């Protein structure tokens, strides 16, 4: 934004009657040399022909490779990758309406699989704003993503506790005073990098630091196998979810909440001692993967 326009925006904001949104610019990094151990991260986003990982295809892949410190500080962007891909059939009209990607845009294009493999090889973590979707779409085509630690910036950052009402990328950007061209893969990657590099609104902690802290903690998936059908509303009220494949209710809890949850099941659901309760330990290496998808 030019200086005169910046001045106008500042005047409007000072009145308290207006909020001005600025177009998100390119991430400039922190401008300082690292004084701590550093790692390589990927921010990844996909545009696809649909939501079925077994049937639908990635038509655009965006990746930003960046260097970050143990503190969660983002130091610099290392590489930007954005490629289109022509799917086997026509792009559904609803996808074109959402993304703006047409059959003509992708005609003759193919994502370079070897380049993706090389880009991801040294990454310590892959971050997506809906990791349960993006991971499953990616590891179907690029097996290297099945071997990586993943983190979800939508659900593993305490946005609501930090004063945000919406979790969508565009809503979060607006709360920080910015807008971007949404629903294109690399634009969403740039937006997410800016959010993760910034301090959270209330605590002041770096968003990336909070995300990594949560992602590193193992969780336990508890299966309420054999729970009486009349207890389903009690389980739903406690945030248990139904697995159609395994035909039972389950919940993911932090490791230190395992005994508490077992106590709840014993008292409220099974009304007696529980033996050999099925449970799976899940880490960032498996979280959001097809391997841990309860419906896969």
């Amino acid at each position: 934004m030019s200086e005169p326009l910046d001045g106008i925006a500042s005047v409007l904001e000072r009145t308290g009657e207006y909020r001005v949104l600025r177009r998100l610019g390119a991430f400039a990094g922190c401008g300082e040399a690292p004084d701590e151990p550093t790692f390589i991260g990927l921010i990844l986003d996909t545009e696809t022909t649909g939501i079925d990982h077994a049937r639908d295809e990635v038509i655009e892949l965006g990746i930003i490779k960046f260097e970050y410190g143990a503190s969660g500080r983002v130091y610099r962007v290392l590489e930007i990758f954005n490629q289109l891909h022509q799917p086997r059939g026509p792009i559904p009209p609803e996808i074109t309406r959402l993304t703006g990607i047409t059959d003509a845009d992708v005609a003759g294009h193919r994502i370079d699989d070897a380049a993706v493999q090389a880009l991801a090889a040294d990454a310590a973590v892959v971050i997506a704003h809906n990791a349960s979707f993006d991971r499953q779409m990616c590891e179907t085509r690029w097996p290297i993503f099945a071997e990586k630690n993943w983190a979800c910036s939508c659900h593993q950052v305490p946005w609501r506790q930090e004063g945000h009402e919406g979790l969508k990328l565009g809503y979060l950007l607006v709360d920080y005073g910015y807008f971007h061209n949404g629903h294109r893969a690399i634009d969403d990657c740039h937006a997410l990098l800016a959010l993760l590099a910034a301090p959270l609104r209330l605590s002041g902690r770096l968003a990336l630091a909070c995300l990594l802290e949560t992602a590193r903690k193992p969780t336990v998936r508890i299966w309420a196998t054999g729970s009486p059908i009349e207890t389903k509303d009690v389980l739903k009220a406690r945030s248990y979810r139904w697995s159609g494949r395994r035909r039972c209710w389950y919940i993911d809890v932090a490791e230190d909440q395992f005994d508490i949850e077992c106590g709840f099941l014993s008292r409220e659901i099974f009304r007696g001692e529980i033996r050999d309760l099925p449970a799976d330990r899940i880490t960032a290496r498996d979280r959001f993967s097809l391997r841990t998808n309860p419906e896969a």
Side-chain angles (χ1 to χ4, degrees):
M1 187 180 291
S2 67
E3 284 190 23
L5 293 179
D6 271 331
I8 294 170
S10 297
V11 170
L12 288 171
E13 289 174 327
R14 284 198 297 270
T15 68
E17 299 297 324
Y18 299 91
R19 293 184 63 197
V20 179
L21 298 182
R22 293 165 171 81
R23 182 182 295 278
L24 184 70
F27 180 75
C30 73
E32 298 178 11
D35 59 357
E36 59 178 331
T38 62
F39 308 90
I40 303 300
L42 302 182
I43 289 179
L44 178 150
D45 188 58
T46 61
E47 302 300 340
T48 67
T49 56
I51 61 173
D52 187 333
H53 64 82
R55 183 185 68 238
D56 291 307
E57 298 176 75
V58 175
I59 56 174
E60 185 177 38
L61 177 65
I63 299 175
I64 296 178
K65 187 172 187 174
F66 66 100
E67 180 186 30
Y68 68 95
S71 66
R73 195 173 191 183
V74 178
Y75 285 97
R76 60 191 175 117
V77 170
L78 301 172
E79 189 172 344
I80 296 174
F81 178 95
N82 190 55
Q83 291 187 354
L84 293 166
H85 180 82
Q86 181 178 0
R88 291 184 295 271
I91 297 174
E94 61 271 19
I95 299 299
T96 295
R97 284 194 297 269
L98 179 67
T99 65
I101 301 174
T102 66
D103 290 324
D105 292 329
V106 300
H109 289 276
R110 179 173 177 81
I111 295 171
D112 185 339
D113 295 337
V116 174
Q117 176 85 14
L119 191 67
D122 58 350
V125 65
V126 181
I127 301 169
H129 202 60
N130 184 8
S132 60
F133 174 78
D134 289 300
R135 176 167 194 170
Q136 293 178 34
M137 291 299 300
C138 285
E139 67 182 27
T140 298
R141 174 166 175 179
W142 299 288
I144 191 170
F145 288 118
E147 305 166 6
K148 294 296 177 180
N149 297 313
W150 280 69
C152 180
S153 55
C154 183
H155 299 292
Q156 292 184 302
V157 176
W159 299 115
R160 295 195 189 280
Q161 294 93 308
E162 293 285 340
H164 301 275
E165 294 183 5
L167 301 182
K168 289 185 176 180
L169 203 53
Y171 296 164
L172 295 170
L173 270 186
V174 166
D175 286 344
Y176 279 89
Y178 294 98
F179 71 94
H180 78 307
N181 298 322
H183 298 299
R184 290 302 299 265
I186 199 61
D187 293 322
D188 284 350
C189 289
H190 283 293
L192 182 52
L193 179 61
L195 287 172
L196 293 177
L200 293 168
R201 295 169 73 190
L202 300 182
S203 69
R205 294 190 64 199
L206 291 172
L208 180 60
C210 291
L211 173 61
L212 295 174
E213 179 181 291
T214 301
R216 290 187 187 110
K217 294 178 180 177
T219 52
V220 180
R221 178 166 294 168
I222 302 173
W223 299 92
T225 305
S227 59
I229 191 170
E230 61 270 18
T231 64
K232 66 180 179 64
D233 290 335
V234 178
L235 291 166
K236 287 171 66 176
R238 198 172 171 90
S239 299
Y240 277 72
R241 303 174 70 178
W242 176 255
S243 168
R245 182 175 63 86
R246 289 187 55 159
R247 306 296 298 172
C248 72
W249 295 91
Y250 71 95
I251 192 171
D252 293 341
V253 300
E255 277 192 312
D256 59 5
Q257 297 296 304
F258 178 75
D259 289 340
I260 293 173
E261 202 58 36
C262 287
F264 160 77
L265 289 172
S266 178
R267 291 189 311 273
E268 306 295 332
I269 304 303
F270 295 103
R271 304 297 176 89
E273 183 181 357
I274 305 174
R275 295 181 179 178
D276 300 322
L277 184 71
D280 303 316
R281 188 175 186 268
I282 300 173
T283 68
R285 184 61 61 94
D286 297 308
R287 194 174 292 122
F288 311 119
S289 171
L290 288 167
R291 295 187 298 274
T292 57
N293 183 342
E295 299 303 330

